[in-house]
Amino acid sequence: MKGGFLALTSVLLVTLAQLTLRATMSNFPPLTLLASHPEAVLRLALGLGLYGLSMLFWMLALRHMPLNRLYPLLSLSYVLVWLAAILLPQFAEPFHWQSLAGVICIVAGLLCVSLPARKI
């Protein structure tokens, strides 16, 4: 269970990192004006820091779970980022049925790989 907690924490952190970087880069000033926008640099550092923290949790999870069980959990971040980008007003990205179909495929694949095999 410890490995699962570490892996899910990593997934949540990488999701937050993606969302933070997207929000930051959508309004990022030109490099020539960067000195007068320290908040943009701080948000960028926060996003990169979240990525680094996510990697730390991922490396710790690798100590406790086999890679073939752990690696599919990364796909959860794709689903979470997609949902947040559509549902959170600061992103307001459009919904597309094809995207939903892709997310359903990701979740179905995750379930196929992660659920214990039934004995016939």
Side-chain angles (χ1 to χ4, degrees):
M1 187 62 188
K2 185 176 184 178
F5 170 77
L6 293 167
L8 290 176
T9 301
S10 175
V11 166
L12 291 175
L13 287 168
V14 78
T15 299
L16 287 173
Q18 283 286 349
L19 295 171
T20 301
L21 290 173
R22 171 67 173 107
T24 299
M25 296 312 294
S26 64
N27 296 316
F28 205 72
L31 292 179
T32 56
L33 300 176
L34 208 52
S36 61
H37 292 86
E39 73 284 349
V41 176
L42 289 175
R43 285 193 315 266
L44 179 61
L46 174 63
L48 295 174
L50 288 168
Y51 257 122
L53 197 55
S54 169
M55 290 308 303
L56 175 65
F57 276 87
W58 185 254
M59 289 185 295
L60 294 171
L62 286 169
R63 297 178 72 186
H64 299 281
M65 287 180 70
L67 191 57
N68 67 339
R69 301 276 300 165
L70 188 60
Y71 196 70
L73 292 176
L74 282 178
S75 62
L76 283 176
S77 69
Y78 303 136
V79 175
L80 295 174
V81 169
W82 178 80
L83 277 172
I86 291 171
L87 297 176
L88 295 175
Q90 64 263 37
F91 299 106
E93 294 193 12
F95 172 84
H96 298 287
W97 286 105
Q98 309 92 292
S99 299
L100 177 60
V103 167
I104 290 170
C105 289
I106 289 171
V107 172
L110 179 62
L111 290 174
C112 288
V113 172
S114 299
L115 292 177
R118 286 187 177 179
K119 293 183 181 181
I120 299 175

